[in-house]
Amino acid sequence: MIKVIMDCDPGHDDVFALLTLLAHPEKVDVLGFTTVVGNQTLAKVTDNLLRVLTLIQSDVPVSAGASVHLNGLTYVQPGAHGESGLDGAALPTAKRQVTGIHAVEWIYETLKNSSEKIILIPTGPLTNIAQLLQKYPEIKSKIAYISLMGGSVYRGNVTSQAEFNIWADPEAAKIVFESGLPITMSGLEVCHAASLLHEEVDLFKSEKAVSKMVHGLLGFFNAFAKNLNQPGSPMFDVCPVMHLLYPELFIGEPMKIDIEVNGTHTRGKTVADTRLWADPKETNTFVLMDVDRPAFIQHFIEAVKIIDARLV
Ligand code: RIB
Ligand code: CA
């Protein structure tokens, strides 16, 4: 049984990712969720997560983490995710509390006490993960690998060169990518290949609670993509989860990824060595570049239906 911890900043696509993850307890044991400032403030993303877990009747523990990035700042994204960080759906008041343990400490204790290695799935800025590795470097031996949403080989999103999760905390990303841990990177190339098209949003139209929530969230999330004249919404954070469950759907390649921490135009860029003669022994990251989109979307639709069917 695969054991995972998901570190997230819900965030519409973070929610789509956790739904996909929680739909398959026969494959994955989700030990816990941790939250990090990113799309919105720590308080908002944590409350969003607790409200979604209340709606889907999940008792997976939640531990709140960093409220600012390593540089002491925050870079919330109301344009993409709204003032709440999860605009578009009516969510219940949270009936759950956080553990009261800081995310870094909770991840550390969980890894330390585990009899087997655990996969970390960060879908927000890497602040919590970097602080874990800085404070407890020896804990790397209990991490199987890190499968993260972040970065890109070619174009950015929050700037022309950088993707948001890396750009929001490049100092943290540098620590993670230089940690020596195996990393699978779902960058913008595979995320855009895994877009949910505008005409597919109504496939979720339903009075069933989870489908109704997803339909509402997609309505808001896809409106942002429509304004950018995009054919659909990249299912960003779903990619690392879908790769964990169905790796055969993806195409990727090993690359050397360096993080540009400072740069007038390049801060937060994941600098990929794509030279034809790049040394394979120098690679540190497996970069996902493409996916079977119809199968990906079908598995997401199925995951939402599975959780809806589970509700009492
Ligand atoms: O660039 C996309 C990433 O930024 C996703 O993780 C999304 O949730 C936002 O955090
Ligand atoms: Ca996210």
Side-chain angles (χ1 to χ4, degrees):
M1 176 71 79
I2 301 171
K3 293 182 182 297
V4 307
I5 295 170
M6 182 175 165
D7 185 65
C8 55
D9 62 336
H12 294 68
D13 53 318
D14 302 74
V15 169
F16 304 151
L18 74 88
L19 293 174
T20 307
L21 202 54
L22 291 173
H24 295 285
E26 76 285 359
K27 289 187 178 181
V28 187
D29 181 2
V30 184
L31 300 177
F33 294 106
T34 52
T35 54
V36 62
V37 60
N39 287 322
Q40 262 298 345
T41 64
L42 177 69
K44 288 183 177 179
V45 301
T46 304
D47 186 48
N48 289 339
L49 179 56
L50 291 169
R51 294 171 76 168
V52 169
L53 295 180
T54 296
L55 186 146
I56 66 172
Q57 301 169 15
S58 164
D59 58 3
V60 174
V62 174
S63 301
S67 58
V68 295
H69 300 301
L70 295 188
N71 65 3
L73 301 176
T74 66
Y75 303 91
V76 298
Q77 297 291 305
H81 298 276
E83 277 307 317
S84 72
L86 204 52
D87 282 15
L91 295 172
T93 303
K95 293 198 178 88
R96 301 263 323 267
Q97 300 294 319
V98 293
T99 61
I101 303 167
H102 188 283
V104 170
E105 303 309 320
W106 188 90
I107 296 172
Y108 172 66
E109 290 298 328
T110 304
L111 290 171
K112 188 177 72 172
N113 297 328
S114 174
S115 59
E116 53 199 282
K117 291 191 175 188
I118 294 171
I119 298 168
L120 302 185
I121 305 179
T123 62
L126 293 166
T127 314
N128 287 337
I129 309 303
Q131 289 177 330
L132 171 81
L133 298 178
Q134 276 187 310
K135 189 170 181 183
Y136 304 109
E138 76 285 358
I139 207 62
K140 284 192 278 190
S141 65
K142 299 301 284 296
I143 300 170
Y145 65 94
I146 296 175
S147 186
L148 60 88
M149 191 277 133
S152 61
V153 175
Y154 302 107
R155 64 179 69 88
N157 59 5
V158 69
T159 72
S160 66
Q161 300 301 312
E163 178 281 324
F164 174 74
N165 286 341
I166 307 298
W167 175 86
D169 200 338
E171 290 82 359
K174 178 176 170 65
I175 290 166
V176 173
F177 278 82
E178 292 182 353
S179 67
L181 285 167
I183 294 174
T184 298
M185 179 177 119
S186 294
L188 293 181
E189 288 76 23
V190 72
C191 293
H192 281 270
S195 286
L196 190 139
L197 304 179
H198 300 316
E199 57 266 30
E200 292 171 328
V201 169
D202 280 352
L203 293 173
F204 296 87
K205 201 165 188 173
S206 165
E207 283 310 306
K208 294 182 177 177
V210 183
S211 298
K212 188 172 184 178
M213 171 185 69
V214 170
H215 186 248
L217 293 178
L218 282 171
F220 182 89
F221 203 48
N222 275 54
F224 181 75
K226 269 183 190 165
N227 290 339
L228 297 174
N229 299 316
Q230 296 305 299
S233 285
M235 292 288 103
F236 301 105
D237 297 340
V238 185
C239 287
V241 169
M242 211 59 91
H243 182 254
L244 180 72
L245 294 167
Y246 309 103
E248 68 281 3
L249 299 184
F250 292 80
I251 294 173
E253 57 185 278
M255 293 185 194
K256 175 77 165 57
I257 297 287
D258 290 303
I259 306 298
E260 180 84 324
V261 176
N262 299 299
T264 305
H265 304 290
T266 56
R267 170 178 180 258
K269 182 172 181 56
T270 45
V271 181
D273 187 347
T274 56
R275 290 173 295 178
L276 296 177
W277 55 87
D279 182 351
K281 293 191 296 299
E282 288 299 311
T283 60
N284 62 348
T285 306
F286 187 72
V287 181
L288 303 182
M289 294 299 288
D290 204 355
V291 67
D292 176 342
R293 195 197 73 84
F296 181 106
I297 297 299
Q298 192 52 44
H299 284 307
F300 177 45
I301 292 168
E302 284 162 7
V304 173
K305 287 180 177 171
I306 287 169
I307 296 190
D308 250 332
R310 196 184 284 168
L311 302 190
V312 293

